[in-house]
Amino acid sequence: MTVYFMCIVLLTMGLYCLVAKKNIVKKILGIVIMDYAVNLYIIIVGYKTGGVAPIIEPNMPAATLERFVDPLTQALVLTSIVIGLGVLSLMVAMCIRLYEKHGTFDMSVISKLRG
Amino acid sequence: MENITPQLYALLVFMIVGSIVAIETRNLLSAVISVAAVGFALSVAFLFLGAPDIAITQLVVEVLVLIILIRGTILLDNTAVESHRDTLAVVTSLIFFGLVLGFGAMIFGGRGFPEFGEPLMRVSRVYVHTGLPATYCANIVSSVILDFRAYDTMGEATVLFTSILGALALLRKDGKRKEEEVVAA
């Protein structure tokens, strides 16, 4: 249970960084940290004690199939990681564009400029 | 198989400390590199949790994230945003994040949720047992991604394509309006 709780701590720290920081790059880093926390949480939910990676080897005893960790969560997280990269590139592109237009990363200055 | 819980706790503590450094440091480059350290620790944690495919993907994606973020930060403006700290906002957000933490612990740590190390695996049991005969793929994760749940992967490719398209549209050098202005001038 403590493992779940530490994942939620990581998620909350990312949320704090996203909401309370003024710098746009810091906000992006908060989203990245939340992404990591959620991915790790889903993988931990699918972990089985004494589990092995779900890869079938030749001449493997049939009992090993019961020791596999959950392959479904791993497949979903694999999708999620790649989508996280795409979303991050879009956010950084917006960030670069805002800097070219306003000359600063400060959120409060940008909202005052009414650009 | 040995017990992996101590290693997992050590990696999680490292990730939390790295995140604190990334959130609170003033230099943007230090923050970006701290987040990259958190990502590499996450990759090692995936290895311990029996997910080598995810670990490899996380490693590759982490390097790309580092490159993209450094391009976005250090080449433009590495100075920290110097502004007065809004104490009331920080205190209020900390209180509310404490509430989020408490309710999250109640929901995900309470009864009815699977304990750590005992997954449900109602759907996955079918995948594990029929993966090799049905798809001829020894790696069950690959067979789930590319065969059992191929529509998910198609949606992922769509999202990835759309986001890259959006980034390219945002970053292109000469927009349409600029061309018209040049012609008008």
Side-chain angles (χ1 to χ4, degrees):
Chain A
M1 280 307 126
T2 323
V3 185
Y4 291 162
F5 184 72
M6 286 166 90
C7 280
I8 298 172
V9 168
L10 205 60
L11 179 83
T12 314
M13 282 164 48
L15 192 61
Y16 167 74
C17 186
L18 173 64
V19 173
K21 292 292 171 185
K22 295 261 175 61
N23 198 323
I24 307 178
V25 180
K26 281 286 181 68
K27 283 176 188 283
I28 292 178
L29 293 185
I31 293 178
V32 171
I33 290 172
M34 285 174 75
D35 197 19
Y36 290 164
V38 171
N39 289 342
L40 183 61
Y41 181 80
I42 295 175
I43 288 289
I44 281 177
V45 167
Y47 180 71
K48 183 179 277 188
T49 307
V52 294
I55 297 171
I56 297 174
E57 291 164 7
N59 303 321
M60 201 178 66
T64 317
L65 282 180
E66 296 298 325
R67 290 177 53 214
F68 279 175
V69 298
D70 199 338
L72 184 57
T73 57
Q74 293 194 16
L76 296 183
V77 168
L78 201 61
T79 310
S80 158
I81 288 175
V82 179
I83 285 180
L85 178 67
V87 171
L88 176 91
S89 66
L90 185 59
M91 286 190 295
V92 170
M94 285 182 187
C95 183
I96 291 173
R97 214 56 178 162
L98 274 176
Y99 188 84
E100 282 177 4
K101 194 169 172 63
H102 297 290
T104 178
F105 281 139
D106 195 341
M107 208 57 205
S108 49
V109 175
I110 291 175
S111 58
K112 269 177 203 158
L113 287 175
R114 295 184 173 276
Chain B
M1 206 67 184
E2 74 273 25
N3 187 15
I4 64 145
T5 318
Q7 289 95 323
L8 197 58
Y9 279 136
L11 283 167
L12 268 166
V13 168
F14 177 80
M15 286 170 69
I16 288 176
V17 172
S19 304
I20 291 174
V21 172
I23 290 172
E24 286 305 327
T25 185
R26 307 289 274 176
N27 193 339
L28 279 184
L29 185 61
S30 313
V32 168
I33 289 176
S34 304
V35 166
V38 174
F40 287 127
L42 181 66
S43 170
V44 179
F46 285 154
L47 269 184
F48 276 115
L49 286 166
D53 306 287
I54 317 287
I56 294 167
T57 315
Q58 174 67 33
L59 204 62
V60 173
V61 165
E62 192 52 48
V63 174
L64 289 175
V65 163
L66 193 57
I67 293 170
I68 291 173
L69 277 174
I70 286 181
R71 170 67 182 85
T73 60
I74 189 177
L75 287 182
L76 297 178
D77 185 6
N78 199 17
T79 56
V81 173
E82 295 291 340
S83 63
H84 66 285
R85 193 171 276 234
D86 197 351
T87 319
L88 181 67
V90 170
V91 170
T92 317
S93 49
L94 280 181
I95 288 172
F96 275 97
F97 294 140
L99 284 179
V100 168
L101 205 59
F103 282 117
M106 270 171 60
I107 291 169
F108 295 111
R111 288 184 300 132
F113 206 74
E115 293 276 330
F116 173 62
E118 295 162 13
L120 282 175
M121 291 189 73
R122 281 187 200 137
V123 180
S124 314
R125 184 165 289 118
V126 180
Y127 291 159
V128 166
H129 284 285
T130 63
L132 188 59
T135 66
Y136 298 101
C137 181
N139 190 341
I140 306 292
V141 178
S142 296
S143 72
V144 169
I145 287 179
L146 297 176
D147 199 304
F148 290 116
R149 295 197 172 231
Y151 283 121
D152 276 359
T153 312
M154 196 182 78
E156 171 211 345
T158 312
V159 171
L160 196 64
F161 178 71
T162 314
S163 63
I164 298 299
L165 209 62
L168 283 180
L170 279 173
L171 284 179
R172 63 184 173 176
K173 282 297 173 198
D174 358 287
K176 217 171 186 179
R177 180 182 290 174
K178 207 174 185 179
E179 225 166 65
E180 285 170 2
E181 281 170 1
V182 168
V183 170

